């Protein structure tokens, strides 16, 4: 196995945009990953707007021993992307780099390979060639910071007069519950008055009895009211008979 070359690339960058290519042919395997630190020179009056990392890989043994590579790329310990099944021809892959990761003017690069399972017993090593590393950084002039206007001191507020505590109101005397009213018993219905079917008997007033001047003389006999009624009815019947004739 070829000995891997680990180098540190110092990139000289311009104000607006620049890139420095580092040619590092290295042979990577499952048990022999690649680690490097890319250092970046600081440019006064500028700040990094965007950055991209370009890696060029090839699997020269792909034609004789076919294995599907799994390449993991980490930037500052964070997984940036995964590449699968590298061909025999050199191919360049790009990865976005956050400007915040370059605030310390360096970038830690780590490249590792997986393994290919064989017959469910063991794992075959994967291998690949790393031909080129290119870190492209775009810089822009630093924006001047606008001085903030000092805020005017706030006027102290006048302390408020403490409020007089209110006298607690006396508790109201609970009202005595009223006794429940006794339910009135229903009155019995009055029985119906029997209306007499027979005509009422009319009692005629009796004429006053004249008392004799001499109390020893017995009074004269006074005819009874029934006798007078009978006589009157007879006279009425006689008058009615005459009219009919």
């Amino acid at each position: 196995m070829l000995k891997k070359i680990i180098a540190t690339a110092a990139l000289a960058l311009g104000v607006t945009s620049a890139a420095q290519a580092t040619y590092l042919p290295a042979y990577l395997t499952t048990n022999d990953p690649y680690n490097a630190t890319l250092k970046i020179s600081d440019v006064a009056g500028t700040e990094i707007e965007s950055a991209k990392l370009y890696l060029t890989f090839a699997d020269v043994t792909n034609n004789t021993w076919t294995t599907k590579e799994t390449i993991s790329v980490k930037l500052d310990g964070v997984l940036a992307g995964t590449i699968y099944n590298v061909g025999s021809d050199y191919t360049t892959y790009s990865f976005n780099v956050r400007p915040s990761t370059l605030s310390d003017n360096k970038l830690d690069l780590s490249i590792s390979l997986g393994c290919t399972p064989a017959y469910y017993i063991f794992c075959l090593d994967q291998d690949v060639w790393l031909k080129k590393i290119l870190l492209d950084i775009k810089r822009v002039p630093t924006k001047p910071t606008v001085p903030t206007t000092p805020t005017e001191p706030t006027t102290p507020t006048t302390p408020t007069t403490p409020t007089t505590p209110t006298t607690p109101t006396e508790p109201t005397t609970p009202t005595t519950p009223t006794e429940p009213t006794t339910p009135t018993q229903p009155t019995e219905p009055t029985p119906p008055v029997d209306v007499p079917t027979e005509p009422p008997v009319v009692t005629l007033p009796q004429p006053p009895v004249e008392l004799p001047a001499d109390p020893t003389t017995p009074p004269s006999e006074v005819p009874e009211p029934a006798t007078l009624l009978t006589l009157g009815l007879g006279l009425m019947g006689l008058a009615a008979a005459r009219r009919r004739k």
Side-chain angles (χ1 to χ4, degrees), residues 124-209:
L124 298 177
D125 287 349
Q126 298 177 0
D127 59 346
V128 72
W129 279 90
L130 173 62
K131 181 180 180 181
K132 188 181 295 185
I133 300 174
L134 177 63
L135 180 59
D136 187 7
I137 298 177
K138 182 179 180 181
R139 291 181 176 270
V140 293
T142 305
K143 296 179 181 179
T145 56
V146 180
T148 58
T149 306
T151 57
E152 296 181 358
T154 57
T155 306
T157 57
T158 306
T160 57
T161 306
T163 57
T164 306
T166 58
T167 306
T169 57
E170 296 181 357
T172 58
T173 306
T175 57
T176 306
T178 58
E179 296 182 357
T181 58
T182 307
T184 58
Q185 297 181 354
T187 58
E188 297 182 357
T190 58
V193 180
D194 295 334
V195 180
T197 56
E198 296 180 0
V201 178
V202 179
T203 304
L204 297 177
Q206 296 181 1
V209 179

Side-chain angles (χ1 to χ4, degrees), residues 54-189:
Y54 297 92
L55 303 176
T56 303
F57 295 100
D59 184 9
V60 295
T61 61
N62 193 40
N63 294 330
T64 57
W65 184 264
T66 304
T67 56
K68 294 182 179 180
E69 294 80 14
T70 303
I71 305 173
S72 299
V73 179
K74 292 183 178 181
L75 303 177
D76 283 354
V78 179
L79 182 65
T82 305
I83 303 171
Y84 299 97
N85 194 20
V86 179
S88 56
D89 296 331
Y90 283 102
T91 306
T92 301
Y93 303 88
S94 63
F95 303 89
N96 292 322
V97 182
R98 291 180 299 177
S100 59
T101 59
L102 305 176
S103 58
D104 54 355
N105 294 328
K106 66 183 182 64
L107 179 65
D108 293 330
L109 173 63
S110 176
I111 304 173
S112 60
L113 282 80
C115 66
T116 303
Y119 306 106
Y120 303 98
I121 300 175
F122 55 92
C123 227
L124 298 177
D125 287 349
Q126 298 177 0
D127 59 346
V128 72
W129 279 90
L130 173 62
K131 181 180 180 181
K132 188 181 295 185
I133 300 174
L134 177 63
L135 180 59
D136 187 7
I137 298 177
K138 182 179 180 181
R139 291 181 176 270
V140 293
T142 305
K143 296 179 181 179
T145 56
V146 180
T148 58
T149 306
T151 57
E152 296 181 358
T154 57
T155 306
T157 57
T158 306
T160 57
T161 306
T163 57
T164 306
T166 58
T167 306
T169 57
E170 296 181 357
T172 58
T173 306
T175 57
T176 306
T178 58
E179 296 182 357
T181 58
T182 307
T184 58
Q185 297 181 354
T187 58
E188 297 182 357

